Amino acid sequence: SGPPMQIGKSQGPPPPPLRDPHYHGHHHHHHQSPHSPHHPHNRTPHSPHEYHQISPRYHGYGAYNGFDTRDGHGVGRLDYFQKPQKARLLLAMPTDSDSLSDRQCYVRSEMVEIFAATAKDVAARHSKGAQKLVEGQVGIRCVHCAHLRPRDRAERAVCYPSSISRIYQTVADMQRFHFEQCREIPPDIRKIYKSLKTTRPRGVGSPQTYWVQSAKLLNLIDTDNGIRFAGEAKKEEEKPASP
């Protein structure tokens, strides 16, 4: 393995992903229940430095392709739905740097995640009298304060865009209103975020179009109840109607 990849030093191919400190190779897997908090798929980073030790294959920032590759093996889409709160589902894609600014790439790979609302999320939202929300509706949230109770988070920590075309503006609003206020963003992550360029590659289409296309590649679709994961929406339709 070797030291974590440093931002901005890109001589030669990146090193292979660093192993999770609790991960001891395949022959030890029988010691760990897949539901154990130390199982590699179930861990969330404890320190800001761990974010940069995760699969440094893309830009030196975190992971990509919609799934956080926490232990170097990746987390399958099925795992995400079986254990929705364990796997981190990212907006980042390997093609982001071709169309988006460095700062937007970083936001998509290190600052926000997408998730399907649970019954608990729905209850918390409706108790505040906020917009109507249904279970399974896709939201976007700050990864750094997701562990806090809703009332302890800075404003716009969790947003539910009404359609795929609104994701771009929703994240822009989070950058403007939430990231400035969120006390959970570690200083070194904030420093990198602020230092990154906001100019995007020249000669490419509009960033809004790219955000829409990449959302579709993540299997997100528009429905009458906001954004959903295509597979989950189909399952809902196939459920027999209650008598």
Side-chain angles (χ1 to χ4, degrees):
S1 49
M5 185 177 183
Q6 297 297 311
I7 299 283
K9 293 187 181 170
S10 55
Q11 299 96 340
L18 287 184
R19 288 282 178 224
D20 184 293
H22 296 287
Y23 181 76
H24 304 295
H26 295 289
H27 57 287
H28 285 304
H29 269 188
H30 60 276
H31 295 310
Q32 290 183 353
S33 148
H35 303 294
S36 141
H38 297 305
H39 189 271
H41 283 176
N42 294 353
R43 286 187 70 251
T44 48
H46 294 303
S47 77
H49 304 293
E50 284 188 57
Y51 276 98
H52 299 295
Q53 293 179 13
I54 299 163
S55 185
R57 293 179 299 183
Y58 158 66
H59 252 309
Y61 320 142
Y64 65 70
N65 225 8
F67 296 97
D68 202 345
T69 51
R70 183 74 54 217
D71 66 345
H73 294 298
V75 176
R77 196 170 288 275
L78 191 63
D79 278 349
Y80 175 74
F81 290 114
Q82 286 172 346
K83 304 182 290 193
Q85 302 313 314
K86 307 298 184 195
R88 175 158 285 158
L89 190 51
L90 304 167
L91 283 166
M93 309 282 287
T95 49
D96 284 3
S97 57
D98 298 333
S99 297
L100 304 177
S101 69
D102 287 354
R103 187 177 291 185
Q104 281 193 334
C105 291
Y106 194 69
V107 167
R108 286 162 62 97
S109 66
E110 295 287 351
M111 312 282 279
V112 299
E113 64 184 341
I114 46 178
F115 69 100
T118 62
K120 194 173 164 187
D121 293 325
V122 172
R125 190 126 186 128
H126 289 174
S127 69
K128 288 196 312 187
Q131 75 189 78
K132 185 170 175 290
L133 179 65
V134 297
E135 203 172 329
Q137 189 172 336
V138 170
I140 299 174
R141 66 187 169 204
C142 170
V143 301
H144 301 291
C145 63
H147 62 284
L148 296 179
R149 293 175 301 181
R151 68 170 178 267
D152 294 333
R153 300 174 189 145
E155 67 167 323
R156 299 203 203 210
V158 178
C159 299
Y160 295 92
S162 53
S163 66
I164 289 171
S165 62
R166 296 282 308 158
I167 294 175
Y168 172 82
Q169 189 57 49
T170 297
V171 175
D173 289 345
M174 289 176 76
Q175 285 180 246
R176 193 169 154 204
F177 299 107
H178 179 73
F179 295 165
E180 294 300 318
Q181 309 295 328
C182 182
R183 293 179 182 172
E184 297 296 310
I185 298 173
D188 60 341
I189 297 272
R190 187 183 293 282
K191 190 176 174 187
I192 293 167
Y193 166 74
K194 295 238 181 209
S195 74
L196 291 168
K197 288 190 304 190
T198 54
T199 51
R200 59 193 187 85
R202 285 198 297 193
V204 293
S206 81
Q208 289 95 325
T209 305
Y210 178 81
W211 282 70
V212 169
Q213 288 168 342
S214 62
K216 289 176 179 172
L217 290 174
L218 290 175
N219 227 15
L220 299 179
I221 57 167
D222 286 331
T223 73
D224 292 340
N225 292 314
I227 303 170
R228 309 278 291 219
F229 288 104
E232 296 299 287
K234 195 163 191 290
K235 261 191 256 173
E236 288 285 316
E237 283 170 20
E238 288 165 2
K239 271 188 194 166
S242 47

